[in-house]
Amino acid sequence: MSADQSRQSLNRRPGNHSPERPQKIARVNPIGESGCEEEENQRKGPIVTETKMNPNPRVQRYLIAIEYIGTRFAGAQQQSNCRTVVGVLEEAFHKFIGQPVSIFCSSRTDAGVHALSNVCHVDVERISKRKPGETLPPHEPAVVKKAVNHFLQKNEGDIMVIDVQSVPSDFHSRYKAQERTYFYRLLSGPEPLSTFEKDRAWHVAEELDLLSMQKACQVLVGRHDFSSFRAAACQAKSPIRSLDELNVTEVVSPLSFPSIKEREQSNYLVEDSFATSLKSESEVSHVSSTITSQVEPIPTFGMRKQHRCFVVTARARSFLYHQVRLLVGVLKSVGTGNLTVDDVERILKAKTVAAASPMAPACGLYLGHVKFDLASDM
């Protein structure tokens, strides 16, 4: 056999793969590319992806709901040399179980964006610390919640686990999500923003026209090409999205405390409870509404004037990158009178982000809820 024939024979041997060119593993995407694109941190850098492996019976997958103040985070997604939600959470789990874990979020919120409830999943194999190598039964969800929060509170105290549930090994927090709800807070009024509201809302000095903003929402809700409401860096394959809900509501600011008149009203209702109990329900309602209508803020030295608080709610299965903040930017412009409802229709039809108003800042955005059908997946 010649030298050339010998080399060809070696190359045909099964399993003779070069160590520099490993076999590729197919990427698994259970529901295609319709996963959450909203407010995602799309900075350049290594992104951790999950490969579907054979389930290990010794490993328990947990669904973790977390809340956090996004101000001091560079986003939810893991990044090198940056403080991120996933990074802090993985560190807390490492301290709890004594080994590294990988955490995957349903919604990869951007820097400065807060979460009332973001959802992640993590795989944990409980190994005995006294007898290394010995596998123990999985921790109860309540134990996981308490232990991880213990280590999180030793960090900055701006993130907390609010719920934990055991789920099957193939349950994916991102691809199993059915819809996501975002809230955006705007505080309207000429007074400077309170220290307690710093980085928690968008301060708009002008008065906002609630009715006009609500009319503009009706133009935007539904299934549309939202090219005018996607950032240039958006990596979604299609700009088509179904916006199931978009509305603006005026609410009482959570930092509002009872005034003297309101405290007097409360005392009046308690002291007069016996008398009002003898009246009909409609009479009681009339008395209460009459007293409420008489409540007027008393200008007192040292008492801050309250801002009007507006909350934009956006609900959909998935969003484009920066879609919510671009929508809020347009609604704010309608509220201040810089745009009309007809202008909103024109911006939507333009199908270019250049036609939209400046994007709302991240500080007012909150991921409110991620919905799952846990009953059918258990």
Side-chain angles (χ1 to χ4, degrees), residues 17-324:
H17 301 292
S18 168
E20 297 179 0
R21 298 185 63 184
Q23 288 181 301
K24 293 182 179 179
I25 300 175
R27 179 177 180 269
V28 176
N29 189 345
I31 61 169
E33 294 295 335
S34 62
C36 174
E37 302 284 353
E38 78 291 358
E39 301 303 323
E40 292 186 359
N41 191 325
Q42 299 192 18
R43 294 178 177 82
K44 293 181 180 179
I47 297 177
V48 179
T49 57
E50 184 179 34
T51 304
K52 190 174 181 63
M53 306 293 288
N54 291 329
N56 184 342
R58 299 179 302 175
V59 174
Q60 176 62 60
R61 177 163 292 189
Y62 295 99
L63 202 61
I64 313 289
I66 55 175
E67 64 179 12
Y68 50 86
I69 299 169
T71 307
R72 293 194 292 272
F73 289 107
Q77 185 177 329
Q78 181 73 278
Q79 301 174 62
S80 57
N81 303 319
C82 289
R83 184 173 184 262
T84 64
V85 172
V86 165
V88 170
L89 201 55
E90 287 181 348
E91 182 183 353
F93 265 93
H94 192 172
K95 291 179 179 178
F96 167 41
I97 65 174
Q99 54 186 327
V101 299
S102 294
I103 291 176
F104 301 88
C105 280
S106 64
S107 302
R108 297 178 290 182
T109 54
D110 212 351
V113 176
H114 317 292
L116 304 177
S117 179
N118 197 350
V119 180
C120 317
H121 75 258
V122 60
D123 292 334
V124 174
E125 183 178 11
R126 186 184 177 191
I127 298 176
S128 174
K129 295 180 180 179
R130 295 181 179 179
K131 298 179 180 179
E134 180 182 347
T135 304
L136 302 175
H139 291 287
E140 290 296 321
V143 174
V144 175
K145 176 182 175 181
K146 184 175 181 179
V148 174
N149 277 335
H150 169 75
F151 292 109
L152 288 176
Q153 295 313 302
K154 289 187 174 183
N155 204 283
E156 297 287 340
D158 50 2
I159 178 172
M160 177 177 285
V161 174
I162 59 175
D163 210 353
V164 179
Q165 182 169 331
S166 300
V167 293
S169 60
D170 63 346
F171 189 98
H172 199 291
S173 60
R174 185 179 183 192
Y175 301 127
K176 288 287 187 178
Q178 294 184 333
E179 69 177 23
R180 296 154 173 93
T181 301
Y182 277 88
F183 300 112
Y184 195 100
R185 297 181 67 234
L186 302 100
L187 295 180
S188 169
E191 291 290 318
L193 204 61
S194 166
T195 302
F196 295 102
E197 291 284 10
K198 180 177 171 56
D199 297 323
R200 305 289 196 278
W202 184 11
H203 178 216
V204 179
E206 304 96 326
E207 287 294 319
L208 294 175
D209 184 341
L210 178 60
L211 183 58
S212 294
M213 295 169 74
Q214 290 173 335
K215 289 180 179 178
C217 288
Q218 297 305 309
V219 174
L220 297 166
V221 76
R223 186 173 178 82
H224 303 287
D225 181 333
F226 283 102
S227 294
S228 296
F229 299 92
R230 68 185 298 194
C234 182
Q235 298 174 1
K237 291 183 178 180
S238 171
I240 307 296
R241 287 293 184 272
S242 293
L243 190 55
D244 299 320
E245 179 183 358
L246 184 68
N247 64 57
V248 187
T249 309
E250 184 169 7
V251 300
V252 176
S253 172
L255 286 177
S256 293
F257 298 95
S259 65
I260 295 174
K261 282 279 188 179
E262 288 170 324
R263 297 198 300 273
E264 289 177 350
Q265 169 195 342
S266 179
N267 291 335
Y268 170 82
L269 291 175
V270 171
E271 293 169 0
D272 203 42
S273 59
F274 178 75
T276 54
S277 65
L278 301 177
K279 301 178 182 180
S280 67
E281 192 171 309
S282 59
E283 289 175 312
V284 173
S285 176
H286 173 71
V287 171
S288 179
S289 61
T290 302
I291 295 173
T292 302
S293 65
Q294 294 173 351
V295 174
E296 295 291 339
I298 302 175
T300 306
F301 175 78
M303 299 294 288
R304 171 180 283 277
K305 185 178 180 181
Q306 296 293 322
H307 293 87
R308 294 178 67 188
C309 183
F310 299 88
V311 176
V312 178
T313 302
R315 179 172 54 84
R317 181 177 183 181
S318 63
F319 294 86
L320 300 166
Y321 184 44
H322 285 165
Q323 181 180 352
V324 177

Side-chain angles (χ1 to χ4, degrees), residues 212 215-216 219 334 339-346:
S212 294
K215 289 180 179 178
V219 174
V334 171
L339 290 177
T340 65
V341 175
D342 290 339
D343 290 329
V344 176
E345 289 191 56
R346 174 183 55 78

